[in-house]
């Protein structure tokens, strides 16, 4: 039997691409921890966190809330015992999806898809049948108010993908291979990367097509190796940013597209002293772009805050504003730095403690009070603004902010 659903999806994507070309109306304008390989590995590892009756508290690298001497930070979870959100993503300020996991005392775990059009109430929809008895290892790509992909966070090419165009009421398994190519990043598409070599030294940017959930290679590629995308969404000014290594040079650089992926320009970061970067994370504010160098700073800390670079001219030139010295805080960073509309830059340590800078990342002051209710974990940029788990890495409580200044708190339940 022919794959009629797949053919219909491909036709929709081709029609979507054609009507979105210059000169045609934009018919679907309404209908951003690691590179994708590491995200899948971390997500798969989350399965082992839920054993027995409750979610154990994660051992967290401690940082003194005062930014000074010793002391331990103990962060309690906001989620009921055995319940947490495995992944969450938004279409805009209020419309989003989440995967909620729950483990009973007898060890049985279940996964449910939730949808909201305004934070509450969250409607319950079903995941594909083979994913409903899972305690983790699942990811989301939200493509529109009714369109999304759910995928298994398996290392390599072992994970499967499912697409729904009707809020999760029905599902179709879609290929994990890249079968098409596109010239531009159209509204609703999600960026990711795929390995071109066995060691992933060479990578390519791909998009998830909004009307089929299939993968397509972007025709114009950033001129970088080992690219870091980390669930890319367009920045607040509409630009698209990718970090990676200069081919055959091993130096870190940033590439940006301001024409929806039709072309890319790149700039190398200045040389720095200290530990090498494992990745560079980009945050875009209204007056500056920040590139944060992250790497290993000890035998257990992979999220060390090694350097911060700032650009006031859209990424054409960079100046280093922060250098790790082993004394000043923050020493680690969880997720992305929050470049706010008021010009401030906030870094949440790996322990969830917030530190704010008003001088472009040259110095930081801990935000007080920094009790458990103020902790936020791994902020990231999405189409709905900055999004972070609140209170514990595994939680049903979240904070969201469009401008990085005013935050809205909500629960996924």
């Amino acid at each position: 039997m022919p794959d009629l659903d797949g053919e219909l999806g491909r036709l929709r994507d081709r029609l979507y691409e054609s009507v979105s070309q210059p000169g045609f109306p934009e018919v679907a304008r309404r209908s951003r921890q690691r590179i994708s390989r590491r995200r899948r590995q971390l997500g798969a590892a989350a399965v082992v966190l839920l054993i027995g009756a409750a979610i154990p508290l994660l051992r967290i690298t401690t940082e003194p809330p005062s930014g000074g001497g010793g002391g331990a930070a103990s962060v309690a979870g906001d989620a009921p015992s055995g319940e947490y959100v495995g992944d969450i993503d938004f279409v805009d300020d209020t419309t989003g999806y989440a995967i909620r996991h729950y483990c009973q005392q007898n060890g049985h775990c279940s996964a449910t898809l939730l949808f909201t059009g305004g934070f509450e109430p969250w409607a319950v929809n079903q995941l594909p049948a083979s994913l409903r008895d899972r305690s983790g290892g699942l990811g989301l790509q939200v493509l529109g108010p009714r369109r999304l992909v759910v995928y298994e966070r398996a290392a390599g090419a072992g994970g499967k993908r499912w697409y729904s165009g009707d809020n999760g009421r029905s599902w179709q398994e879609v290929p994990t291979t890249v079968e098409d190519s596109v010239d531009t990043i159209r509204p609703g598409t999600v960026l990711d990367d795929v390995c071109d070599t066995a060691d992933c030294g060479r990578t390519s940017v791909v998009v998830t097509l909004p009307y089929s959930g299939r993968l397509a290679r972007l025709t114009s590629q950033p001129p970088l190796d080992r690219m870091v995308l980390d669930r890319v969404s367009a920045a607040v000014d509409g630009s698209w940013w990718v970090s990676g290594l200069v081919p055959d040079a091993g130096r870190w650089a940033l590439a940006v597209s301001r024409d929806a992926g039709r072309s890319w320009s790149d700039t190398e970061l200045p040389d720095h002293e200290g530990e090498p970067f494992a990745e560079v994370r980009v945050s875009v504010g209204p007056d500056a772009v920040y590139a944060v160098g992250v790497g290993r700073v000890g035998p257990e800390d992979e999220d060390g805050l090694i350097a911060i670079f700032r650009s006031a001219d859209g990424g054409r030139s960079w100046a280093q504003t922060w250098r790790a010295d082993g004394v000043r805080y923050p020493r680690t960073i969880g997720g992305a730095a929050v470049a706010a509309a008021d010009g401030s830059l906030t870094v949440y340590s790996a322990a969830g403690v917030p530190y704010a800078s008003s001088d472009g990342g040259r110095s930081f002051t801990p935000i007080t009070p920094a009790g458990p209710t103020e902790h936020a974990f791994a902020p990231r940029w999405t189409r709905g603004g900055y999004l972070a788990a609140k209170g514990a890495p595994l939680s049903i409580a979240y904070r969201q902010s469009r401008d990085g200044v005013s935050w809205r708190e909500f629960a996924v339940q």
Side-chain angles (χ1 to χ4, degrees), residues 106-160:
N106 61 10
H108 177 264
C109 298
S110 61
T112 304
L113 178 70
L114 301 182
F115 166 78
T116 182
F119 291 114
E120 54 184 4
W122 287 75
V124 177
N125 289 334
Q126 291 295 335
L127 290 167
S130 61
L131 305 181
R132 294 173 189 172
D133 296 326
R134 300 284 291 267
S135 61
L138 302 178
L140 273 175
Q141 291 180 323
V142 177
L143 307 172
R146 296 173 55 83
R147 304 183 301 276
L148 70 155
V149 165
V150 173
Y151 61 93
E152 295 176 313
R153 296 180 186 266
K160 296 182 178 181

Side-chain angles (χ1 to χ4, degrees), residues 178-190:
V178 183
E179 300 178 340
D180 299 305
S181 62
V182 293
D183 295 330
T184 58
I185 305 168
R186 293 299 172 185
T189 56
V190 177

Side-chain angles (χ1 to χ4, degrees), residues 20-276:
S20 298
Q21 297 298 324
F24 288 83
E26 295 282 357
V27 297
R29 178 65 65 182
R30 172 96 171 94
S31 280
R32 161 183 186 324
Q33 302 211 31
R34 295 286 181 186
I35 60 177
S36 62
R37 296 176 299 282
R38 188 161 188 273
R39 288 204 314 271
R40 296 187 183 102
Q41 292 166 354
L42 290 176
V47 177
V48 302
L49 294 176
L50 292 175
I51 298 176
I55 301 174
L57 292 179
L58 297 180
R59 185 180 58 79
I60 298 173
T61 302
T62 58
E63 296 204 32
S66 64
S74 177
V75 183
D78 288 334
S81 175
E83 184 178 10
Y84 81 106
V85 172
D87 202 2
I88 183 171
D89 198 12
F90 279 81
V91 180
D92 51 36
D93 289 358
T94 61
T95 304
Y97 291 83
I99 297 176
R100 184 181 60 190
H101 300 277
Y102 181 74
C103 284
Q104 302 176 14
Q105 291 186 359
N106 61 10
H108 177 264
C109 298
S110 61
T112 304
L113 178 70
L114 301 182
F115 166 78
T116 182
F119 291 114
E120 54 184 4
W122 287 75
V124 177
N125 289 334
Q126 291 295 335
L127 290 167
S130 61
L131 305 181
R132 294 173 189 172
D133 296 326
R134 300 284 291 267
S135 61
L138 302 178
L140 273 175
Q141 291 180 323
V142 177
L143 307 172
R146 296 173 55 83
R147 304 183 301 276
L148 70 155
V149 165
V150 173
Y151 61 93
E152 295 176 313
R153 296 180 186 266
K160 296 182 178 181
R161 295 166 60 90
W162 288 264
Y163 171 78
S164 175
D166 56 7
N167 286 80
R169 294 182 175 88
S170 63
W171 295 92
Q172 176 193 2
E173 187 174 343
V174 293
T176 59
T177 54
V178 183
E179 300 178 340
D180 299 305
S181 62
V182 293
D183 295 330
T184 58
I185 305 168
R186 293 299 172 185
T189 56
V190 177
L191 263 62
D192 210 331
D193 65 341
V194 295
C195 297
D196 295 332
T197 58
D199 64 351
C200 289
R202 304 278 181 179
T203 54
S204 294
V205 175
V206 297
V207 301
T208 299
L209 299 173
Y211 283 94
S212 68
R214 294 173 181 261
L215 297 173
R217 192 179 306 272
L218 193 62
T219 303
S220 176
Q221 291 286 320
L224 304 175
D225 290 339
R226 296 190 183 276
M227 288 181 282
V228 178
L229 285 77
D230 195 21
R231 186 182 286 177
V232 174
S233 294
V236 66
D237 62 355
S239 58
W240 297 85
W241 290 83
V242 175
S243 66
L245 296 176
V246 178
D248 303 319
R251 298 188 298 273
W252 281 93
L254 281 298
V256 59
S257 176
R258 302 187 187 279
D259 55 7
R262 297 180 182 89
S263 64
W264 297 84
S265 60
D266 61 295
T267 307
E268 291 187 26
L269 292 176
D271 292 334
H272 80 285
E273 298 177 358
E275 297 295 327

